[in-house]
mmCIF file of all heavy atoms in Angstrom:
data_model
loop_
_atom_site.group_PDB
_atom_site.id
_atom_site.type_symbol
_atom_site.label_atom_id
_atom_site.label_comp_id
_atom_site.label_asym_id
_atom_site.label_seq_id
_atom_site.Cartn_x
_atom_site.Cartn_y
_atom_site.Cartn_z
ATOM 1 N N HIS A 110 368.548 100.405 182.095
ATOM 2 C CA HIS A 110 369.755 100.620 181.283
ATOM 3 C C HIS A 110 369.513 100.160 179.848
ATOM 4 O O HIS A 110 369.871 100.850 178.887
ATOM 5 C CB HIS A 110 370.926 99.867 181.903
ATOM 6 C CG HIS A 110 372.213 100.039 181.166
ATOM 7 N ND1 HIS A 110 372.644 99.164 180.180
ATOM 8 C CD2 HIS A 110 373.180 101.003 181.254
ATOM 9 C CE1 HIS A 110 373.803 99.570 179.707
ATOM 10 N NE2 HIS A 110 374.151 100.681 180.332
ATOM 11 N N ARG A 111 368.890 99.022 179.695
ATOM 12 C CA ARG A 111 368.578 98.506 178.359
ATOM 13 C C ARG A 111 367.614 99.433 177.625
ATOM 14 O O ARG A 111 367.818 99.755 176.442
ATOM 15 C CB ARG A 111 367.991 97.104 178.485
ATOM 16 C CG ARG A 111 367.614 96.452 177.170
ATOM 17 C CD ARG A 111 367.063 95.057 177.401
ATOM 18 N NE ARG A 111 366.565 94.475 176.167
ATOM 19 C CZ ARG A 111 365.943 93.302 176.103
ATOM 20 N NH1 ARG A 111 365.743 92.594 177.206
ATOM 21 N NH2 ARG A 111 365.515 92.838 174.942
ATOM 22 N N ALA A 112 366.558 99.868 178.304
ATOM 23 C CA ALA A 112 365.567 100.735 177.667
ATOM 24 C C ALA A 112 366.180 102.063 177.241
ATOM 25 O O ALA A 112 365.880 102.590 176.163
ATOM 26 C CB ALA A 112 364.400 100.976 178.623
ATOM 27 N N MET A 113 367.057 102.602 178.075
ATOM 28 C CA MET A 113 367.666 103.891 177.767
ATOM 29 C C MET A 113 368.606 103.797 176.570
ATOM 30 O O MET A 113 368.653 104.709 175.728
ATOM 31 C CB MET A 113 368.395 104.422 179.001
ATOM 32 C CG MET A 113 368.773 105.885 178.921
ATOM 33 S SD MET A 113 369.408 106.534 180.491
ATOM 34 C CE MET A 113 367.920 106.526 181.497
ATOM 35 N N THR A 114 369.347 102.715 176.477
ATOM 36 C CA THR A 114 370.278 102.560 175.353
ATOM 37 C C THR A 114 369.539 102.202 174.059
ATOM 38 O O THR A 114 369.991 102.581 172.969
ATOM 39 C CB THR A 114 371.330 101.483 175.664
ATOM 40 O OG1 THR A 114 370.676 100.257 176.024
ATOM 41 C CG2 THR A 114 372.221 101.918 176.807
ATOM 42 N N GLU A 115 368.414 101.524 174.171
ATOM 43 C CA GLU A 115 367.661 101.125 172.982
ATOM 44 C C GLU A 115 366.692 102.194 172.492
ATOM 45 O O GLU A 115 366.202 102.108 171.364
ATOM 46 C CB GLU A 115 366.879 99.837 173.273
ATOM 47 C CG GLU A 115 367.747 98.614 173.459
ATOM 48 C CD GLU A 115 366.957 97.356 173.783
ATOM 49 O OE1 GLU A 115 365.746 97.479 174.058
ATOM 50 O OE2 GLU A 115 367.540 96.257 173.748
ATOM 51 N N ASN A 116 366.418 103.207 173.320
ATOM 52 C CA ASN A 116 365.444 104.244 172.951
ATOM 53 C C ASN A 116 366.026 105.630 173.205
ATOM 54 O O ASN A 116 365.550 106.367 174.079
ATOM 55 C CB ASN A 116 364.153 104.053 173.752
ATOM 56 C CG ASN A 116 363.487 102.719 173.491
ATOM 57 O OD1 ASN A 116 362.682 102.585 172.573
ATOM 58 N ND2 ASN A 116 363.811 101.724 174.309
ATOM 59 N N PRO A 117 367.039 106.013 172.445
ATOM 60 C CA PRO A 117 367.699 107.295 172.706
ATOM 61 C C PRO A 117 366.823 108.511 172.425
ATOM 62 O O PRO A 117 367.166 109.623 172.839
ATOM 63 C CB PRO A 117 368.904 107.251 171.750
ATOM 64 C CG PRO A 117 368.483 106.328 170.653
ATOM 65 C CD PRO A 117 367.635 105.283 171.313
ATOM 66 N N ASP A 118 365.692 108.302 171.734
ATOM 67 C CA ASP A 118 364.817 109.423 171.421
ATOM 68 C C ASP A 118 363.940 109.836 172.592
ATOM 69 O O ASP A 118 363.357 110.936 172.578
ATOM 70 C CB ASP A 118 363.922 109.074 170.230
ATOM 71 C CG ASP A 118 363.075 107.839 170.483
ATOM 72 O OD1 ASP A 118 363.628 106.836 170.973
ATOM 73 O OD2 ASP A 118 361.867 107.875 170.188
ATOM 74 N N LYS A 119 363.803 109.002 173.610
ATOM 75 C CA LYS A 119 362.961 109.327 174.758
ATOM 76 C C LYS A 119 363.695 110.260 175.714
ATOM 77 O O LYS A 119 364.903 110.144 175.911
ATOM 78 C CB LYS A 119 362.536 108.052 175.500
ATOM 79 C CG LYS A 119 361.763 107.063 174.637
ATOM 80 C CD LYS A 119 360.490 107.687 174.065
ATOM 81 C CE LYS A 119 359.760 106.726 173.150
ATOM 82 N NZ LYS A 119 358.576 107.341 172.516
ATOM 83 N N LEU A 120 362.929 111.163 176.323
ATOM 84 C CA LEU A 120 363.520 112.109 177.268
ATOM 85 C C LEU A 120 363.425 111.636 178.713
ATOM 86 O O LEU A 120 364.286 111.939 179.533
ATOM 87 C CB LEU A 120 362.839 113.478 177.141
ATOM 88 C CG LEU A 120 362.954 114.177 175.795
ATOM 89 C CD1 LEU A 120 362.303 115.556 175.857
ATOM 90 C CD2 LEU A 120 364.403 114.290 175.359
ATOM 91 N N TRP A 121 362.352 110.905 179.045
ATOM 92 C CA TRP A 121 362.150 110.417 180.406
ATOM 93 C C TRP A 121 361.672 108.974 180.369
ATOM 94 O O TRP A 121 360.900 108.578 179.490
ATOM 95 C CB TRP A 121 361.109 111.266 181.144
ATOM 96 C CG TRP A 121 361.634 112.576 181.635
ATOM 97 C CD1 TRP A 121 361.610 113.767 180.962
ATOM 98 C CD2 TRP A 121 362.261 112.831 182.894
ATOM 99 N NE1 TRP A 121 362.184 114.757 181.728
ATOM 100 C CE2 TRP A 121 362.590 114.214 182.918
ATOM 101 C CE3 TRP A 121 362.578 112.050 184.003
ATOM 102 C CZ2 TRP A 121 363.215 114.801 184.012
ATOM 103 C CZ3 TRP A 121 363.204 112.638 185.099
ATOM 104 C CH2 TRP A 121 363.517 114.001 185.091
ATOM 105 N N PHE A 122 362.131 108.207 181.362
ATOM 106 C CA PHE A 122 361.711 106.818 181.537
ATOM 107 C C PHE A 122 361.102 106.668 182.934
ATOM 108 O O PHE A 122 361.717 107.106 183.923
ATOM 109 C CB PHE A 122 362.893 105.862 181.381
ATOM 110 C CG PHE A 122 363.475 105.838 179.989
ATOM 111 C CD1 PHE A 122 364.455 106.750 179.625
ATOM 112 C CD2 PHE A 122 363.038 104.918 179.048
ATOM 113 C CE1 PHE A 122 364.999 106.746 178.347
ATOM 114 C CE2 PHE A 122 363.572 104.902 177.767
ATOM 115 C CZ PHE A 122 364.548 105.816 177.415
#
Side-chain angles (χ1 to χ4, degrees):
H110 181 267
R111 180 179 174 185
M113 194 171 290
T114 55
E115 291 178 350
N116 299 272
D118 58 314
K119 301 301 177 184
L120 298 183
W121 282 91
F122 294 87

